[in-house]
Amino acid sequence: MVMLLGGDQIAVTAQGRALIASLDLSSGVELARVARRDSSGAAQRIRLRKTCIRSWMDQESKCDPDITTQLIVPGAGLSPLALDWCCDHADCRAIELDYEHMDAKRGLINQCAQHSIASRIICSHCDLRQIDDTKHILTNSGWRSERPALWILEGLSYYISFDELCALIRLALGGHERSRVIMEFSGPRDELTQSARLATEAYHQFIGTLLGGGDLTITDIDAVVANTGTRLDRLVHPAQIEEQFHLERFFAGPRESAMRIAMLAPSLVESHS
């Protein structure tokens, strides 16, 4: 669904586009149709989050080249993000984690990229709700907590609990003072316009029901920061992303979407943003 909504914004390299082209996206057609029906900004939000995350990755890499020598992508799914990044950054090694599809992802990466790139991406099965197992799997996959790392949590927060999310952030930022987490999430709906709130509730409950639950998780970023003892370096909503990147305007302000993107850092270091 995300790939169908995002279109040509999903991948930025030939290898990433080849990965997308090799997928059977038919299972997402109905979900994408419902997303467009119930949430007119669904496709735009996907495009904006991709643009913002990539831009922040580029900025962090330029400020601190060491940070993307370790790229960690929990809940990676079949996204080409790590593949794109490793294609463009020869010194980067990435670890992708997810509950399913990691064997298929490994095969697709091997097909779509030369060995010099594919060999720098590890795809590991992992239940991210189990933090001790996650730490063990990461370590076995080559993660070194004593070195800086950039973690990308895109879409993951909708599907795990507050406590599980906080445990993962503590793991991510507890090892090195220059590590960072870029996280996309859905914030509280209380201050949204009525139409935005109703559309968000309908769409999230639709997805949640498909997954055997109810609503998707709402994240209070201030509570996350307080719980994890981290620092909020950046926080943007869709209208700000459109403004910052001079994109066509769809959102007038923060009340029109619950989507947010944040950058978290260990609390005792100074931002170089």
Side-chain angles (χ1 to χ4, degrees):
M1 179 199 70
V2 169
M3 293 176 186
L4 289 169
L5 290 175
D8 60 7
Q9 295 296 312
I10 296 296
V12 295
T13 66
Q15 295 88 340
R17 289 189 286 270
L19 187 152
I20 299 301
S22 68
L23 299 175
D24 177 2
L25 301 180
S26 59
S27 63
V29 170
E30 177 62 13
L31 292 177
R33 185 191 68 81
V34 172
R36 293 187 182 100
R37 181 195 70 193
D38 291 347
S39 182
S40 59
Q44 178 74 342
R45 286 194 297 271
I46 298 296
R47 293 190 288 266
L48 292 176
R49 84 188 199 192
K50 297 293 181 185
T51 297
C52 182
I53 288 171
R54 289 192 189 109
S55 176
W56 287 7
M57 291 173 71
D58 284 334
Q59 292 169 21
E60 290 302 304
S61 181
K62 289 174 182 176
C63 289
D64 183 2
D66 288 342
I67 196 171
T68 52
T69 58
Q70 287 197 107
L71 178 65
I72 315 295
V73 190
L78 296 172
S79 166
L81 184 146
L83 175 58
D84 278 341
W85 191 259
C86 286
C87 286
D88 288 339
H89 299 81
D91 59 346
C92 177
R93 293 184 176 273
I95 301 174
E96 299 192 304
L97 304 171
D98 215 327
Y99 190 69
E100 56 185 358
H101 302 313
M102 287 296 95
D103 289 340
K105 182 77 169 288
R106 173 76 272 159
L108 289 171
I109 290 173
N110 290 342
Q111 291 175 22
C112 297
Q114 56 267 47
H115 179 73
S116 61
I117 296 170
S119 62
R120 292 185 279 114
I121 304 172
I122 304 298
C123 300
S124 297
H125 285 280
C126 183
D127 184 346
L128 295 160
R129 298 168 298 181
Q130 306 298 324
I131 199 64
D132 291 338
D133 290 345
T134 298
K135 182 177 181 179
H136 177 73
I137 291 167
L138 273 169
T139 301
N140 285 347
S141 299
W143 175 57
R144 297 294 174 261
S145 61
E146 70 276 7
R147 292 171 44 205
L150 182 60
W151 294 59
I152 309 297
L153 278 60
E154 182 182 2
L156 176 64
S157 64
Y158 302 103
Y159 307 109
I160 61 177
S161 71
F162 174 84
D163 289 341
E164 291 160 352
L165 175 63
C166 289
L168 188 61
I169 291 171
R170 284 193 294 270
L171 176 64
L173 297 180
H176 196 283
E177 64 181 13
R178 299 203 320 270
S179 291
R180 295 290 185 271
V181 169
I182 298 175
M183 181 176 75
E184 177 255 344
F185 63 96
S186 183
R189 303 166 186 166
D190 298 346
E191 296 185 2
L192 297 181
T193 65
Q194 182 180 22
S195 60
R197 179 175 55 79
L198 292 175
T200 300
E201 289 174 351
Y203 179 52
H204 283 199
Q205 289 168 10
F206 170 74
I207 299 295
T209 299
L210 286 179
L211 298 175
D215 205 346
L216 300 184
T217 301
I218 297 171
T219 300
D220 182 335
I221 193 64
D222 292 330
V224 169
V225 168
N227 183 282
T228 58
T230 54
R231 186 187 70 241
L232 184 61
D233 262 8
R234 306 185 193 184
L235 178 65
V236 294
H237 55 73
Q240 289 174 316
I241 300 172
E242 291 173 338
E243 181 178 5
Q244 289 173 13
F245 294 100
H246 307 290
L247 302 173
E248 182 180 356
R249 298 305 297 268
F250 186 95
F251 298 99
R255 300 183 66 224
E256 294 195 354
S257 174
M259 188 191 84
R260 301 290 185 266
I261 302 178
M263 182 179 291
L264 300 176
S267 60
L268 298 180
V269 296
E270 302 216 354
S271 171
H272 48 63
S273 302

